Amino acid sequence: MYKITTIISVLVLGFSSQFSMAEPQSPQQFFGYPVGEWHLRHDQIQMYFQQLAAGSDKAQLEIIGHTHEQKPLLQLIISSPENLKKLEQIRLQHLTQLSTGTELADDLPLIVWLGYGVHGNESSGPNASVQVAHHLLTSTDAEVQDWLKNAVILIQPSLNPDGLERFATWANMHKGKSPVADPQSREHIEPWPNGRPNHYWFDLNRDWLPLEHPESRARIAQFYKWRPAVVGDFHEMGPNSTFFFQPGIPTRTYPLTPSANQQLTAKIADYHAAALDKKGRLYYTEESFDDFYVGKGSTYPDVNASVGILFEQASSRGHLQDSINGPLPFSKTVENQYITSLSTLRGSVAQKNALQSYQKAFVLESERLAADDATQGYVIAEAADKTRLEALLTLLKQHQIKAYPINERWQHKGQTYQKGQAYYIPLQQSQYLLLKAAFSTQTNFQDNTFYDVSAWTLPYAFNIEFSAVGRKPSGVAEEQWLPQPESVLMPSAGAYAYAFDWADQKAPLLTQALLEQGVVLRAASKPFFAKTADGEQAFSAGAIIIAAGLQQHNNWFELLGKAQQKAGLAITALTSGLTAKGQDLGSNGFVPVTKPNVLLVAGPDVNSTEAGEVWFNLEKLAGVSPSLIEPQRLGRVDLSRYTHIILPDGSYNSLQQKEQQLLNQWAKQGGVLWGHKGGAAFLVRSGLLKAKAWNSADMSMLIADQGLSYADKESLAGQRRIAGAIYQTQLDLSHPLTFGLSNKNLPVFKNGTFLLAPSEEPFINVALYTDKPQLAGYTAPEYVSRIAEGAAVVAHNHGEGRVIGMTDNPVFRGYFVGSSRLLINALYFGKMFSAESSDGEGEDANEDEAH
């Protein structure tokens, strides 16, 4: 990774020197055609920005990171030559102002951020960025010079280069001599997974809070490096719309967003309106696009002393497309983004004093709110999985949220917190609003209709216990938590066996690395006490054993040492096969662990986002790269190559009787078949998962629609939808699919109304929803009652194989690492359990029939 990054950086510097003697060219001169005639690729934008920066004393180009595909993430800083000469001084002065709320010089420039193309197929923004940059660097207009004097402008031309590249190639490869406006033409119908997401098919505009991807981590680092006063977030929407800019629907603003933020948004909106009026362009505000989820690009700034502004341009999704407003050319969509980019600068500089005063007041108001809050902070704790706990702490630190170790035993409301296992996160810090949002457990709101999720509570996602406390715990360290490099000792050679526990999140990664090296492993089906040089040591079910007498390679101990050092997980030497308590190491209770060969169904008929989340998490949490195979090809591939088949959310309408029979036969011969959400629904319909289910239609019937007026239609739709909420489940901790989880309660994320019913047969229910399952986010009360009757995970035998169904997505947005353990366990322990189910006779195995 380091070598690749270095090479790319050197090449960029080389390209820059190539342009060093030239004056900045216009986009048309540089590309040979007007902007909007073709869709620019990321590399073209990069080359253009390089020549702009090399030929101007008003610009500075930076590479702030790289994508999964190693494309550079660009940031062009534009300001007056005088400002650029003292850029670091300006930045530090600005940060001092924010941290202290003190008055600084009136001539301190405003920081304005223009971010384009977080969705790769919304390409009018990235294409407009080249025009915006050129105009700012070459215009002699007095107004532009005033902007450069009074602002430092950060332009990120493409927040998702991998997706932009995918889409630009598609649109350009279908362009003929004359643009075709027919919406049904292939140019306007992107193939699965389309250009919207990044390399792993994630929506990067939902990743401002989880920070799962390098694009997001680079972006957030720059956000806190600069703390902009205004963030322009440029998007596209359907072709039959016009142009939207915030404010959005007032009742759908995040409750903690300061009212002054929305007032400033409205003031700047006047400048957009004036600019679009001048061109006779249609637009609207306050009618759609909620400003609620704080993990989006236009909302995250709102709880961070910035004013985030969402722009949505009707999309041509190609070069020309018919719409209800007439033919929509790509060039016009680019022009609107260009116009509103400039109006953002115009409005921001005009409101400079108000914006800077707001940022200073934000700090002081946060301090006041924290002081008045009955909750003084949060305590988070996890005893068994240090890696998962530190992952949460690392994420909080990336968001500038401070946490402090609790260095002595502390009791609170019957809960005992141990040194080294608990941390205190005070509300009295600059990130008060973001911290409150990240730990929110709110379940009801002024407006219960959501464009996106209504819950995202970070400790629930990481399955970390947390409590709101009204006082600072005793024994809190003075210094905040910082990640520390940790080395682990490799036990000496010559032991009877070696073992490591399954509780730590690193355990599957170490297991996979050893399996790929041919090291023979066994997994404990029950807890046991083993003999070590330091006495007896307890191991939980799921612990991995490397017995010396089973190894087939002479260098197996060397391989073990290298894998352990890379994983950073402690391994214990066992001195005897005779255990002090529980099964002996030679018992059949220690089950062989084999290397999984995974087929992930991914293609048309499958939710690409959720397929990508599975793909990403298999690699992140287990080091397993699955084979990606479209549903339409399942009947033509050799399924015997695979130990596991995973069906994420989707319709699976293309899987007919032939494919169902092949899956049935494959599972009976020993395969492990997993499906969640729509994948589980398909397994129920096909009779492979012996379960009953409630589908969306069944659930909708729980909410009456009699006596409503037409004005109630949107509200009813909001009630009948679970946009995104967090629910509590109760695990059977003795089941192999739950090994490594020490708490019987497990939060899961629910963003659909499909629901599995519990089995009436023994040993099949792995996880059930609790009696009062709603933890955070909105769900209609009628649904909550039904969910409380449901099952989250069911699993049973199918011939020699196993079939596992889950109601919800275990790997939601990549950061629900708590529930993801269920899926990861299925890779290694998927056949460790045995639970017979009836053949389904007399059961309703059809999702479309009401339960």
Side-chain angles (χ1 to χ4, degrees), residues 547-578:
L550 291 174
Q551 304 310 315
Q552 306 298 313
H553 301 294
N554 292 333
N555 66 335
W556 70 270
F557 188 77
E558 179 185 352
L559 296 173
L560 175 61
K562 289 180 178 179
Q564 186 220 15
Q565 290 305 307
K566 183 176 181 180
L569 188 65
I571 294 178
T572 302
L574 309 184
T575 58
S576 173
L578 184 66

Side-chain angles (χ1 to χ4, degrees), residues 363-374:
V363 175
L364 299 175
E365 179 65 6
S366 295
E367 291 176 355
R368 186 192 67 79
L369 291 171
D372 293 343
D373 200 313

